[in-house]
Amino acid sequence: MCGIVGYVGEKNAQDFLVSGLKRLEYRGYDSAGVVTFGDKGVTLVKAKGKIGDLEAKLAGLKRGDKVGIGHTRWATHGEPSEVNAHPHHVGNIYLVHNGIIENYKELKNALSGYEFKSETDSEVLAALIDSFYQGGKYPLANAVVQALKLIQGTYGIAVMSELNPSEIVVARAGSPLVIGVGHGETLIASDASALLGHTKQAIYLNDGEIATVTKNSVEIKTLNAEPVSAKVEEIETNLAAIQKDGYEHFLLKEIMEQPRSLEETLRGRVDLEEGMVRLGGPGLSETELRKIKHLVIVGCGTAYNAGLLASYYIEQFTPEVTVEVVIASEYRYRQAYIPKDSVALIVSQSGETADTLACLREIKKQGVRTVGIVNAIGSTIAREVDGGTYVHVGPEISVASTKAFTSQVVAMVMFGLTIAQAKGVRSGVLKPYIKEIAKLPGEIKKVLDECRELVKGVAEKYKDYDHAVYLGRDTAYPAAMEGALKLKEISYIDANAYAFGELKHGPLALIDDRFFELALLPEGELYEKAVSNVQEVLARGGHVITVTNKTEFDLPVESVVKITTSVEALVPILLNLVAQLFAYYVAVEKGLDVDQPRNLAKSVTVE
Ligand code: M6R
């Protein structure tokens, strides 16, 4: 979603602001802007569209200004337009804002003497700060605090005043902000990736904190004026991890790097000799693990699908534990009772998803132990859970989540195995899963290498359809859900997933020439039943693609992608790789913006 950058130092601020905004492009946005202060006054430039449009407007305006803030906006209040783009300028105040000010209408009505140019909630916040600033009568940070005390909603903000051009005031509540500490320069970003190449030293601001930064200092306080001693942390990501590495798109790079990213998830956690998995992060003792009777898995989108797939496995080897998988945006408002001896798994790639974070906070209020399954190190969810397992897949830049899904599933399965081990489930039951997990990176590599060209050819045939039905049963059903999500978000083909057994209860009515059906058919106990379901679709003129590991597959379907693998239980994870490649190549064939699909953002930090 929206991105924030800021710079104060000795170098050309515009260079960092523009390059920083480019790094944040992957989060999704529809307009951008920067403001810098210098000898020649204020330079405020905004543009609808991409950073390239902003750069074109900035050409010729390079003034060597050494302080400034910038923003990419993902429209919430008001259409994507130049006037709605940030920075907002009101009186002496320039402001960029991520988040949503819920009570902006009341505040707007109460603010007299201001003419608002935009439809945004953010401009109201700028005016509110200006009203407390009173033309520089009070320190900027004080005015910001006064304003924030009246705000309901979420924010990450960076504020400047031309009356004090050597400082930037930043604050956060629910929207991340990182302060990069350099030599004679201080940088600000809503995502640490924008800081790479400039500094590796970062201060992650907490909710309810406000910081005044100059080129040589960072002073942090709470909104109640209590001083906070800043903890400087090392940014773990490196520049190579956020580059395309020769691939045409980040999405393809991220699909293809899954053997390695999964190895990182498994590193030091699987002991094949002992037939054990060891997860230190959740911080639960053997006694606590033994007591667990119920798991709640919370996530959105792909993270939810990963939780659903993991839940099928966890139920297979921890018979005394019930597993409930919930959509965060729904769960946060339900009056759900969480039984005693529960643990909640909070699943999020970004660690910043607003709905998931809200659930985490609600669940904690009930005294339930929370465990994060998170990728982004130092993210808000990672910091607020009681314990957690990082999936360690490295930065995921493409909006469509792929490598995170695979590792989230495996990390949750490992957590389930940890519970089962503590409960004394026979090793004969657990070892087959552990062995499969250990060989999964190699099997993933084999499938990706063998299928990539084949899937590309298949995808070309289906690019012109408007609708798709994804089908699977048992563990292949959540995999089908994930496949359908991938197709719809990057190819804009309306794709929905159904459990095979549900076909006759409604979806079968859909089958006609406008639809194709993608069936995930893992070999196993329910294979023959799923084959019968495919036959029912074929009998009604369906255009069926099957993805299977069954060697003797002879149904008269339109297209088949066969994978060869020695993995059994975890096959749906491999079938999903084919669905990822399929969605990718369909979107490429359609000439779409694969990495930044329309209307979407990578990290959904607003409700
Ligand atoms: O960062 P999170 O894992 O919390 O994000 C959750 C969803 O927004 C995310 O998985 C989304 O569904 C992806 N774009 C799907 O590819």
Side-chain angles (χ1 to χ4, degrees):
M1 286 202 144
C2 308
I4 287 178
V5 287
Y7 180 88
V8 49
E10 289 301 330
K11 298 185 193 137
N12 187 320
Q14 237 178 53
D15 289 344
F16 170 71
L17 298 180
V18 171
S19 67
L21 290 179
K22 280 188 181 163
R23 292 264 180 82
L24 302 184
E25 274 193 298
Y26 77 96
R27 298 172 66 94
Y29 70 105
D30 37 51
S31 57
V34 295
V35 64
T36 56
F37 295 167
D39 300 341
K40 296 192 180 124
V42 177
T43 306
L44 171 62
V45 181
K46 307 200 254 185
K48 185 181 163 191
K50 295 289 181 188
I51 305 292
D53 301 301
L54 179 71
E55 270 185 306
K57 287 179 120 187
L58 282 168
L61 288 175
K62 261 202 176 174
R63 295 191 162 139
D65 296 354
K66 296 185 172 61
V67 57
I69 51 179
H71 191 258
T72 44
R73 172 174 185 257
W74 187 86
T76 56
H77 296 66
E79 58 170 8
S81 69
E82 205 172 304
V83 74
N84 287 334
H86 304 210
H88 287 287
H89 172 210
V90 182
N92 299 114
I93 299 299
Y94 293 83
L95 167 135
V96 293
H97 166 227
N98 289 355
I100 288 183
I101 310 299
E102 286 164 6
N103 58 338
Y104 79 104
K105 282 195 182 135
E106 296 98 273
L107 294 168
K108 194 173 186 174
N109 291 337
L111 277 162
S112 58
Y114 287 98
E115 259 185 40
F116 292 94
K117 299 181 279 270
S118 77
E119 300 154 83
T120 66
D121 52 340
S122 310
E123 190 186 13
V124 177
L125 177 55
L128 191 63
I129 296 171
D130 188 67
S131 71
F132 286 112
Y133 189 51
Q134 291 190 26
K137 194 164 162 198
Y138 298 101
L140 181 58
N142 289 17
V144 173
V145 168
Q146 294 305 311
L148 294 181
K149 285 191 169 167
L150 299 179
I151 290 296
Q152 284 159 20
T154 54
Y155 57 82
I157 53 169
V159 189
M160 290 172 50
S161 160
E162 61 211 281
L163 302 179
N164 194 352
S166 56
E167 70 177 28
I168 305 174
V169 173
V170 293
R172 78 159 268 180
S175 237
L177 271 181
V178 192
I179 301 169
V181 184
H183 298 291
E185 61 183 5
T186 309
L187 307 98
I188 291 152
S190 51
D191 178 331
S193 66
L195 305 178
L196 294 174
H198 300 274
T199 179
K200 291 217 105 186
Q201 305 299 304
I203 299 168
Y204 293 85
L205 214 59
N206 291 308
D207 278 353
E209 290 177 355
I210 177 165
T212 304
V213 309
T214 67
K215 65 180 183 180
N216 291 317
S217 67
V218 177
E219 189 194 7
I220 306 180
K221 288 185 177 163
T222 65
L223 290 189
N224 295 325
E226 292 141 4
V228 173
S229 69
K231 188 171 151 219
V232 182
E233 296 176 44
E234 172 104 2
I235 301 172
E236 291 197 13
T237 314
N238 56 42
L239 260 181
I242 57 167
Q243 279 153 4
K244 283 193 193 146
D245 203 15
Y247 285 96
E248 199 183 336
H249 298 104
F250 280 110
L251 183 54
L252 186 58
K253 176 197 173 207
E254 286 159 10
I255 292 172
M256 297 307 290
E257 76 186 13
Q258 288 178 94
R260 196 166 46 80
S261 56
L262 184 60
E263 262 169 18
E264 291 305 316
T265 312
L266 302 186
R267 193 172 298 288
R269 291 168 170 169
V270 181
D271 182 341
L272 263 185
E273 261 173 43
E274 294 283 317
M276 301 274 287
V277 294
R278 298 184 210 285
L279 291 181
L284 290 153
S285 67
E286 290 283 304
T287 317
E288 286 170 321
L289 286 166
R290 256 197 303 277
K291 275 173 67 182
I292 296 175
K293 292 211 176 76
H294 183 68
L295 285 181
V296 190
I297 305 183
V298 185
C300 298
T302 286
Y304 169 81
N305 292 340
L308 195 61
L309 178 49
S311 73
Y312 277 67
Y313 290 117
I314 296 171
E315 284 167 358
Q316 290 172 8
F317 48 72
T318 50
E320 296 148 27
V321 179
T322 54
V323 193
E324 184 189 14
V325 189
V326 298
I327 295 173
S329 57
E330 286 294 307
Y331 196 68
R332 62 183 290 187
Y333 294 114
R334 277 166 54 186
Q335 309 295 312
Y337 165 71
I338 306 183
K340 211 169 143 251
D341 300 322
S342 292
V343 165
L345 296 185
I346 312 295
V347 193
S348 177
Q349 185 286 126
S350 63
E352 302 292 349
T353 300
D355 287 318
T356 312
L357 180 58
C359 284
L360 163 63
R361 290 174 179 164
E362 286 302 316
I363 290 170
K364 280 182 89 169
K365 275 191 212 153
Q366 293 195 37
V368 175
R369 173 113 193 161
T370 55
V371 171
I373 305 291
V374 174
N375 185 40
I377 294 169
S379 56
T380 310
I381 292 176
R383 285 183 299 144
E384 291 196 16
V385 285
D386 299 313
T389 295
Y390 278 121
V391 294
H392 289 305
V393 300
E396 196 182 57
I397 305 289
S398 184
V399 165
S401 186
T402 50
K403 59 179 180 172
F405 172 82
T406 301
S407 285
Q408 284 162 348
V409 175
V410 175
M412 283 184 269
V413 172
M414 287 200 288
F415 183 69
L417 287 165
T418 314
I419 299 172
Q421 286 167 182
K423 284 181 181 282
V425 174
R426 277 190 309 113
S427 68
V429 174
L430 304 183
K431 272 188 178 163
Y433 292 95
I434 296 169
K435 277 191 186 156
E436 287 204 5
I437 287 174
K439 66 179 173 189
L440 207 47
E443 297 294 298
I444 289 176
K445 179 160 180 9
K446 206 162 73 181
V447 170
L448 289 172
D449 290 346
E450 284 175 10
C451 293
R452 188 171 154 188
E453 282 308 310
L454 173 65
V455 177
K456 188 173 178 213
V458 175
E460 282 164 12
K461 293 199 272 175
Y462 294 91
K463 70 174 180 16
D464 294 322
Y465 279 83
D466 291 328
H467 308 277
V469 167
Y470 277 56
L471 296 159
R473 65 188 311 162
D474 194 56
T475 44
Y477 169 53
M481 288 173 65
E482 175 55 13
L485 175 59
K486 232 61 331 165
L487 187 73
K488 80 180 99 178
E489 75 175 322
I490 60 169
S491 77
Y492 315 151
I493 293 176
D494 163 42
N496 288 299
Y498 300 98
F500 266 121
E502 279 292 289
L503 267 181
K504 292 195 206 67
H505 301 286
L508 208 49
L510 291 171
I511 308 303
D512 67 19
D513 288 339
R514 295 168 306 149
F515 282 77
F516 72 83
E517 298 77 31
L518 190 142
L520 299 182
L521 290 182
E523 199 172 357
E525 219 184 308
L526 296 174
Y527 174 78
E528 291 303 337
K529 287 185 192 295
V531 164
S532 303
N533 294 131
V534 171
Q535 268 159 341
E536 286 159 8
V537 176
L538 288 174
R540 283 151 186 89
H543 299 272
V544 180
I545 309 166
T546 54
V547 185
T548 183
N549 62 324
K550 182 87 176 167
T551 25
E552 311 85 40
F553 180 81
D554 55 7
L555 282 186
V557 294
E558 258 183 30
S559 307
V560 184
V561 180
K562 271 193 203 166
I563 65 164
T564 44
T565 177
S566 55
V567 160
E568 291 173 11
L570 302 182
V571 161
I573 296 177
L574 301 176
L575 301 183
N576 179 58
L577 303 173
V578 175
Q580 291 175 347
L581 284 171
F582 179 77
Y584 170 74
Y585 284 117
V586 170
V588 170
E589 278 298 314
K590 292 181 79 169
L592 297 171
D593 189 345
V594 176
D595 286 329
Q596 289 168 40
R598 68 184 182 201
N599 305 337
L600 296 181
K602 180 65 182 167
S603 166
V604 184
T605 49
V606 297
E607 196 178 343

